Structures are given as C-alpha cells and as structure tokens.
C-alpha cells in the first residue's frame, strides 16, 4: 500500500493535519496512539482516548509486562498501571534506559502498523510518526533540554504533572523503508510554543526543553518530500491538505517505478 509518513515538532499541527486527512476518508495510523495502547492497562485504552478515525488497534497493555520486568515497580503505580511521569523521568535521565524502552516498544509499534496496513484497502494511508526524525547530536534525547525537562519534572511538581499529561514518545524512526513519502508539518518555534501553552498549559521553559530534545526544523525538513507550513488559518490548512490528497491519490494510482 502507498504510505505517507506525517511528522513535525511538538504542537506543529500533526493531529490537526491528520484530522483533515481523516475528514477526506484517508485511513490514519497514529504511532502515539499505538504506543499509548501498548502501555495502557491490560483491559485497553478507553475508546475516547483514541482520535476520531484512528486505526491501529494494539492489544491493551501488551508492553506492560516487559516494561515492568525491565524498569521495575518504580515505574508502576499501586493499581498496576504505568506511572508515565516516572518512566519519562527515567528515560530523560538515562540514555540506556531510553534505548531499553525503545527496544520494547518500537518493534511492537511497527508490528501493529504493519498488521493495520495489511487490513486496509484505501488508495493510500497516512502514518503519524512524531519522532520519525531524531536529533543527530542527541540521538537518545539527551542534552541540555532534557536536563531542564528533568529538573522541571522533579523539582516543580505542578509542572511535572502537566508534563505527565504529554504523550510519552519514544524513538519510532526506521520507517523510511515502508514510507513512500514523508510529509512534514512545519511552523516557527514561537507558534509551536504558543499553541502548546494554550492547549496543555505547559510553561514556556518546559516546551523549550521538549523542543531542545527534538529534532530541529532543518533536520526534519531535510527528509521531507512535502511540507505544510502551518502558519495560516485552519481553513487554509484544510485547502492545503485537500491539494496534497489529490497529489497522493495520483501518486498512489501511478505504477511504481
Ligand atoms: P503534539 O506534538 O503536541 O501532539 P501536534 O503537532 O499534533 O501536537 P496539534 O495538536 O495538531 O499539534 O496542534 C496544536 C494546537 O494548535 C492545537 O490546539 C490545534 O488546535 C492548534 N492549531 C494547529 N494548527 C492551527 C492553525 N493553523 N491555526 C490555529 N490553531 C492551530
């Protein structure tokens, strides 16, 4: 199946763009949703935690046992659910731990993506991969930003709680071989910060810390086949997505080289 990978920095507008594709009938597979399901309580993620049109049903909690075995009770809550804030602190603080978490989640996420793609009959599918591009100088998400993030989560509890509400993201790169195209949502950092502050209530410093740990705009744009510059209205965004949709339909219908 023809596939388009959608990526972009924090608050750039990935979900908004994905929703525009969903509205056009395009199947959307979101690797964040899959990661959340894999680490949800074994009974599965509540349906309302899944974005409209989201695909990629993962067995609820399929990664929980492996996470518990690797990181111990320190990352579990008393009720047996994952303590996301504790796990986040752990992987920001420790490169090796981040690799271990990636080794648990990454293959499982890829497997669910593959299984889901196999069930689809649409002309093409969109796969949302927030961390498709990782920072080259801080491949494990280490660095100044992460330290700032860690201190924010450990010394300022209210901020830590807000950060805990943010999706727990791990390395999901390695998709280049299954993607026909890469679509990057791009917007200036200040717009990203303003949008995330308005949406999640994170502080400017917390968002800067996350941005510092992510790939930069230039690194992402370097792998883009298509770019949406998300600085205009939602109406303009919908029109851009509609034009891209036509392009992808044509590309998907063309015989592969
Ligand atoms: P994250 O990385 O945090 O998951 P994201 O890249 O998926 O974020 P969105 O959730 O789509 O980004 O957008 C962030 C916020 O900005 C949302 O509240 C969304 O409604 C808003 N937003 C996105 N694009 C626009 C736009 N063109 N005009 C106005 N608001 C926008």
């Amino acid at each position: 199946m023809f596939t388009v990978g959608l990526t972009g920095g924090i608050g750039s507008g990935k979900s908004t763009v994905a929703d525009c594709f969903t509205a056009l009938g395009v199947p959307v597979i979101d690797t964040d949703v899959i990661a959340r399901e894999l680490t949800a309580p074994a009974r599965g993620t509540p349906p309302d935690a899944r974005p409209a049109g989201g695909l990629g049903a993962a067995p609820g909690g399929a990664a929980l046992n492996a996470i518990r075995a690797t990181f111990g009770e320190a990352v579990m809550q008393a009720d047996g659910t994952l303590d996301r804030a504790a796990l986040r602190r752990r992987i920001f603080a420790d490169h090796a731990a981040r690799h271990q978490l990636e080794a648990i989640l990454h293959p499982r996420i890829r497997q669910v993506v593959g299984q889901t793609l196999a069930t689809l009959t649409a002309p093409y599918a969109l796969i949302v991969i927030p961390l498709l591009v990782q920072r080259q100088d801080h491949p494990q998400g280490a660095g100044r930003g992460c330290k700032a993030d860690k201190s924010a989560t450990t010394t300022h509890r209210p901020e830590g709680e807000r950060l805990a509400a943010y999706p727990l993201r791990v390395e999901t790169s390695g998709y280049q071989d299954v993607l026909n195209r890469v679509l990057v949502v791009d917007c200036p950092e200040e717009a990203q910060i303003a949008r995330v502050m308005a949406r999640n209530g994170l502080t400017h410093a917390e968002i800067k810390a996350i941005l510092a740990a992510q790939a930069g705009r230039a690194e992402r744009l370097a792998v883009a086949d298509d770019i949406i510059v998300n600085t205009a209205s939602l109406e303009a965004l919908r029109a851009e997505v509609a034009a891209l949709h036509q392009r992808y339909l044509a590309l998907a219908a063309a015989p592969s080289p």
Side-chain angles (χ1 to χ4, degrees):
M1 165 173 268
F2 193 88
T3 56
V4 178
L6 173 67
T7 194
I10 176 175
S12 56
K14 296 175 297 295
S15 304
T16 310
V17 167
D19 288 347
C20 295
F21 278 99
T22 298
L24 296 169
V26 178
V28 173
I29 302 171
D30 189 327
T31 54
D32 264 359
V33 174
I34 296 171
R36 179 158 276 275
E37 286 202 359
L38 288 168
T39 54
R43 268 169 275 124
T45 306
D48 59 3
R50 192 187 261 259
L55 284 167
L64 266 192
N65 283 345
I67 290 174
R68 185 198 288 259
T70 304
F71 298 102
E73 297 306 315
V75 301
M76 304 302 294
Q77 309 203 81
D79 63 0
T81 59
L82 184 64
D83 185 341
R84 289 171 193 277
L87 184 56
R88 182 191 316 281
R89 284 195 292 273
R90 181 78 197 274
I91 63 171
F92 269 133
D94 180 351
H95 300 189
R98 189 177 186 91
H99 273 309
Q100 285 175 304
L101 182 63
E102 288 167 2
I104 293 168
L105 287 179
H106 187 191
R108 289 170 167 85
I109 294 171
R110 284 198 64 153
Q111 186 185 17
V112 175
V113 169
Q115 286 167 346
T116 308
L117 284 173
T119 67
L120 299 176
T121 52
Y124 75 95
L126 189 79
I127 309 175
V128 185
I129 311 171
L131 299 189
L132 180 67
V133 184
Q134 289 280 47
R135 233 192 143 82
Q136 288 310 302
D137 50 344
H138 298 300
Q140 289 85 42
R144 203 163 31 87
C146 296
K147 283 186 190 136
D149 193 328
K150 184 181 170 244
S151 83
T153 59
T154 51
T155 60
H156 306 291
R157 185 136 182 88
E159 286 90 339
E161 281 165 8
R162 286 199 298 271
L163 262 186
Y166 198 73
L168 183 67
R169 285 175 173 159
V170 296
E171 158 79 77
T172 42
S173 58
Y175 281 86
Q176 285 83 345
D177 52 336
V178 298
L179 298 175
N180 295 94
R181 287 189 89 77
V182 173
L183 170 59
V184 172
V185 192
D186 182 48
C187 75
E189 210 173 83
E190 281 313 312
Q192 290 176 266
I193 292 171
R195 286 175 185 161
V196 175
M197 281 177 80
R199 189 195 53 189
N200 294 40
L202 295 181
T203 64
H204 195 278
E206 285 168 337
I207 302 164
K208 286 286 274 189
I210 293 172
L211 278 164
Q214 292 191 340
R217 287 172 70 190
E219 288 163 295
R220 232 176 258 114
L221 292 174
V223 302
D225 295 299
D226 305 298
I227 300 163
I228 289 182
V229 180
N230 184 21
T231 49
S233 65
L234 290 174
E235 214 157 74
L237 187 62
R238 276 192 283 271
E240 263 196 77
V241 170
L244 272 174
H245 177 54
Q246 292 308 320
R247 183 166 167 68
Y248 293 149
L249 284 176
L251 286 169
S256 33

